[in-house]
Amino acid sequence: KAGVTQTPRYLIKTRGQQVTLSCSPISGHRSVSWYQQTPGQGLQFLFEYFSETQRNKGNFPGRFSGRQFSNSRSEMNVSTLELGDSALYLCASSLGGGENNSPLHFGNGTRLTVT
Amino acid sequence: AQSVSQHNHHVILSEAASLELGCNYSYGGTVNLFWYVQYPGQHLQLLLKYFSGDPLVKGIKGFEAEFIKSKFSFNLRKPSVQWSDTAEYFCALTNFGNEKLTFGTGTRLTIIP
């Protein structure tokens, strides 16, 4: 099985711009989660989607949004970029059954640099 | 609110030394516990997981972890480390029925040949 695929691998944007990141989960996985990784804050949960619905949300401002499509692929959008949004954004997928949590499988991430 | 603490920020060991990385968590209910590893330039990979049953769980590459409920701990161990174990190690938890992972701040492990 192919792993979790994130595109693009690297992005450079300017303050005030917006950006869209893409994630293709492992085939058969219905849950997609997004995490932000920074040296100062570590790994922080952004949100999780399951069957096209946001099921969990972390403590990030409304500038961070996401969606999931019927084929389980997911996109994350950040509007009005700030310097502090520079980070590695990780996508993870899992079966998402809930009753018996399946482990998350992570992608390689998208490295976003805001200048 | 749940939280995970990893008190060792950077550990340096020589090859063949034994390893134990600490992980403590805070949550009053049923938890699922994980250790993930991030090798330089690579994605996060699952080392091992605990959902229920035997509190001593074995993972890949010779790693194991023990869940001690009374101590809210899930320490990672390996009897003899190799240079290739150099990586960052993250302890994490989810609560039952929830996909959201709460991570510790990570422990950077450096193995000296």
Coordinates of all heavy atoms in Angstrom, one line a residue, chain B residues 62-98:
Chain B
G62 N 13.3 -3.8 18.2 CA 13.8 -4.2 19.6 C 13.3 -3.3 20.7 O 13.8 -3.5 21.8
F63 N 12.5 -2.4 20.4 CA 11.9 -1.5 21.4 C 10.8 -2.1 22.2 O 10.0 -2.9 21.6 CB 11.5 -0.2 20.8 CG 12.6 0.7 20.4 CD1 13.1 0.7 19.1 CD2 13.1 1.6 21.3 CE1 14.1 1.5 18.7 CE2 14.2 2.5 20.9 CZ 14.7 2.4 19.6
E64 N 10.6 -1.8 23.4 CA 9.5 -2.2 24.2 C 9.1 -1.1 25.2 O 9.9 -0.1 25.4 CB 9.8 -3.5 25.0 CG 10.8 -3.3 26.1 CD 11.1 -4.6 26.9 OE1 10.9 -5.7 26.3 OE2 11.4 -4.5 28.1
A65 N 7.9 -1.1 25.7 CA 7.4 -0.1 26.6 C 6.5 -0.8 27.6 O 5.8 -1.8 27.3 CB 6.7 1.0 25.9
E66 N 6.5 -0.2 28.8 CA 5.7 -0.8 29.9 C 4.7 0.3 30.4 O 5.1 1.4 30.8 CB 6.5 -1.3 31.1 CG 5.7 -2.0 32.1 CD 6.5 -2.6 33.2 OE1 7.7 -2.3 33.3 OE2 6.0 -3.4 34.0
F67 N 3.4 -0.1 30.3 CA 2.4 0.8 30.8 C 2.2 0.5 32.3 O 1.9 -0.7 32.7 CB 1.1 0.5 30.1 CG -0.2 1.1 30.6 CD1 -0.2 2.5 30.8 CD2 -1.3 0.4 31.0 CE1 -1.3 3.1 31.3 CE2 -2.4 1.0 31.5 CZ -2.4 2.4 31.7
I68 N 2.4 1.5 33.2 CA 2.2 1.3 34.6 C 1.1 2.3 35.0 O 1.3 3.5 35.1 CB 3.5 1.6 35.4 CG1 4.6 0.7 35.0 CG2 3.2 1.4 36.9 CD1 5.9 0.8 35.7
K69 N -0.1 1.8 35.1 CA -1.3 2.7 35.3 C -1.2 3.5 36.6 O -1.5 4.6 36.6 CB -2.5 1.8 35.4 CG -3.8 2.6 35.3 CD -5.0 1.7 35.2 CE -6.3 2.5 35.1 NZ -7.5 1.6 35.0
S70 N -0.6 2.8 37.7 CA -0.6 3.5 39.0 C 0.4 4.7 38.9 O 0.3 5.6 39.7 CB -0.1 2.5 40.0 OG 1.1 2.0 39.8
K71 N 1.3 4.7 38.0 CA 2.3 5.8 37.9 C 2.0 6.7 36.7 O 2.8 7.6 36.4 CB 3.7 5.2 37.7 CG 4.2 4.4 39.0 CD 5.7 4.0 38.8 CE 6.2 3.3 40.1 NZ 7.6 2.9 39.9
F72 N 1.0 6.4 36.0 CA 0.6 7.1 34.7 C 1.9 7.2 33.8 O 2.2 8.3 33.3 CB 0.1 8.6 35.1 CG -1.1 8.5 35.9 CD1 -1.1 8.5 37.3 CD2 -2.4 8.6 35.3 CE1 -2.3 8.5 38.0 CE2 -3.5 8.5 36.0 CZ -3.5 8.5 37.4
S73 N 2.5 6.1 33.7 CA 3.8 6.1 32.9 C 3.7 5.1 31.8 O 3.0 4.1 31.8 CB 5.0 5.9 33.8 OG 5.0 4.5 34.2
F74 N 4.5 5.4 30.8 CA 4.7 4.5 29.6 C 6.1 4.7 29.1 O 6.3 5.3 28.0 CB 3.6 4.9 28.5 CG 3.5 3.9 27.4 CD1 3.2 2.6 27.6 CD2 3.6 4.3 26.1 CE1 3.1 1.7 26.6 CE2 3.5 3.4 25.0 CZ 3.2 2.1 25.3
N75 N 7.1 4.2 29.8 CA 8.5 4.4 29.4 C 8.9 3.5 28.3 O 8.5 2.3 28.3 CB 9.3 4.2 30.7 CG 9.1 5.3 31.7 OD1 8.4 6.2 31.5 ND2 9.8 5.1 32.9
L76 N 9.8 4.0 27.5 CA 10.3 3.2 26.3 C 11.7 2.7 26.7 O 12.5 3.4 27.3 CB 10.4 4.2 25.1 CG 11.0 3.6 23.8 CD1 9.9 2.6 23.2 CD2 11.3 4.7 22.8
R77 N 11.9 1.4 26.3 CA 13.2 0.8 26.7 C 13.8 0.1 25.5 O 13.0 -0.4 24.6 CB 13.0 -0.2 27.8 CG 12.5 0.5 29.1 CD 12.7 -0.5 30.3 NE 11.8 -1.7 30.2 CZ 10.8 -1.9 31.0 NH1 10.5 -1.1 31.9 NH2 10.1 -3.0 30.8
K78 N 15.1 -0.1 25.5 CA 15.8 -0.9 24.5 C 17.1 -1.4 25.2 O 17.8 -0.5 25.7 CB 16.1 -0.2 23.2 CG 16.7 -1.1 22.2 CD 16.8 -0.4 20.8 CE 17.3 -1.4 19.8 NZ 17.4 -0.8 18.4
P79 N 17.3 -2.7 25.2 CA 18.5 -3.2 26.0 C 19.8 -2.8 25.5 O 20.8 -2.6 26.2 CB 18.3 -4.7 26.0 CG 17.3 -5.0 24.9 CD 16.5 -3.8 24.7
S80 N 19.9 -2.6 24.1 CA 21.2 -2.3 23.5 C 21.0 -1.4 22.3 O 20.5 -1.9 21.3 CB 21.9 -3.6 23.2 OG 23.1 -3.3 22.5
V81 N 21.3 -0.2 22.4 CA 21.1 0.8 21.3 C 22.1 0.7 20.2 O 23.3 0.3 20.4 CB 20.9 2.2 21.8 CG1 19.7 2.3 22.7 CG2 22.2 2.7 22.5
Q82 N 21.7 1.1 19.0 CA 22.6 1.1 17.9 C 22.7 2.6 17.3 O 21.8 3.4 17.6 CB 22.1 0.2 16.7 CG 21.9 -1.2 17.1 CD 21.2 -2.0 16.1 OE1 20.1 -1.7 15.7 NE2 21.9 -3.1 15.6
W83 N 23.7 2.8 16.6 CA 23.9 4.2 16.0 C 22.7 4.6 15.2 O 22.2 5.7 15.2 CB 25.1 4.2 15.1 CG 25.4 5.5 14.5 CD1 25.9 6.6 15.0 CD2 25.0 5.8 13.1 NE1 25.9 7.6 14.0 CE2 25.4 7.2 12.9 CE3 24.5 5.1 12.0 CZ2 25.2 7.8 11.6 CZ3 24.3 5.7 10.8 CH2 24.7 7.1 10.6
S84 N 22.0 3.6 14.6 CA 20.9 3.9 13.7 C 19.6 4.3 14.5 O 18.6 4.6 13.9 CB 20.5 2.7 12.8 OG 20.3 1.5 13.6
D85 N 19.7 4.2 15.8 CA 18.6 4.6 16.7 C 18.6 6.1 16.9 O 17.6 6.6 17.5 CB 18.6 3.9 18.0 CG 18.3 2.4 17.9 OD1 17.5 2.0 17.0 OD2 19.0 1.6 18.6
T86 N 19.6 6.8 16.4 CA 19.6 8.2 16.5 C 18.4 8.8 15.9 O 18.1 8.6 14.7 CB 20.9 8.8 15.9 OG1 22.0 8.3 16.6 CG2 20.9 10.3 15.9
A87 N 17.6 9.5 16.6 CA 16.3 10.0 16.1 C 15.6 10.8 17.2 O 16.2 11.0 18.3 CB 15.4 8.9 15.8
E88 N 14.4 11.4 16.9 CA 13.6 12.0 18.0 C 12.5 11.1 18.3 O 11.8 10.5 17.4 CB 13.1 13.4 17.5 CG 12.4 14.2 18.6 CD 12.7 15.6 18.5 OE1 13.1 16.1 17.4 OE2 12.5 16.3 19.5
Y89 N 12.2 10.9 19.5 CA 11.2 10.0 20.0 C 10.0 10.8 20.7 O 10.3 11.6 21.6 CB 11.8 9.0 21.0 CG 12.7 8.0 20.3 CD1 14.0 8.5 20.0 CD2 12.4 6.8 19.8 CE1 14.9 7.6 19.3 CE2 13.2 5.9 19.2 CZ 14.5 6.4 18.9 OH 15.4 5.6 18.3
F90 N 8.8 10.4 20.3 CA 7.6 11.1 20.8 C 6.7 10.1 21.5 O 6.3 9.1 20.9 CB 6.9 11.8 19.7 CG 7.6 12.9 19.1 CD1 8.4 12.7 17.9 CD2 7.5 14.2 19.6 CE1 9.1 13.8 17.3 CE2 8.2 15.3 19.0 CZ 9.0 15.0 17.8
C91 N 6.3 10.4 22.7 CA 5.3 9.7 23.4 C 3.9 10.4 23.1 O 3.9 11.6 23.0 CB 5.6 9.6 24.9 SG 4.4 8.7 25.8
A92 N 2.9 9.6 22.9 CA 1.6 10.3 22.6 C 0.4 9.5 23.2 O 0.6 8.3 23.4 CB 1.4 10.4 21.1
L93 N -0.7 10.1 23.3 CA -1.9 9.4 23.8 C -3.1 9.8 23.1 O -3.2 11.0 22.5 CB -2.1 9.5 25.3 CG -2.5 10.8 25.9 CD1 -4.0 11.1 25.8 CD2 -2.2 10.9 27.4
T94 N -4.1 8.9 23.0 CA -5.4 9.3 22.6 C -6.3 8.8 23.7 O -6.0 7.8 24.4 CB -5.9 8.7 21.3 OG1 -5.9 7.3 21.4 CG2 -5.0 9.1 20.1
N95 N -7.5 9.4 23.9 CA -8.4 8.9 24.8 C -9.4 8.0 24.0 O -9.5 8.1 22.8 CB -9.1 9.9 25.7 CG -9.7 11.0 24.9 OD1 -10.4 10.8 23.9 ND2 -9.5 12.2 25.3
F96 N -10.1 7.1 24.7 CA -10.8 6.1 24.0 C -11.9 6.6 23.1 O -12.6 7.5 23.4 CB -11.5 5.2 25.1 CG -12.2 4.0 24.5 CD1 -11.5 2.9 24.2 CD2 -13.6 4.0 24.4 CE1 -12.2 1.8 23.6 CE2 -14.3 2.9 23.8 CZ -13.5 1.8 23.5
G97 N -11.9 6.2 21.9 CA -12.8 6.6 20.9 C -12.5 7.9 20.2 O -13.3 8.5 19.5
N98 N -11.3 8.4 20.4 CA -10.9 9.7 19.9 C -9.7 9.6 19.1 O -8.7 9.0 19.5 CB -10.7 10.7 21.1 CG -10.6 12.1 20.6 OD1 -10.0 12.4 19.6 ND2 -11.2 13.0 21.4

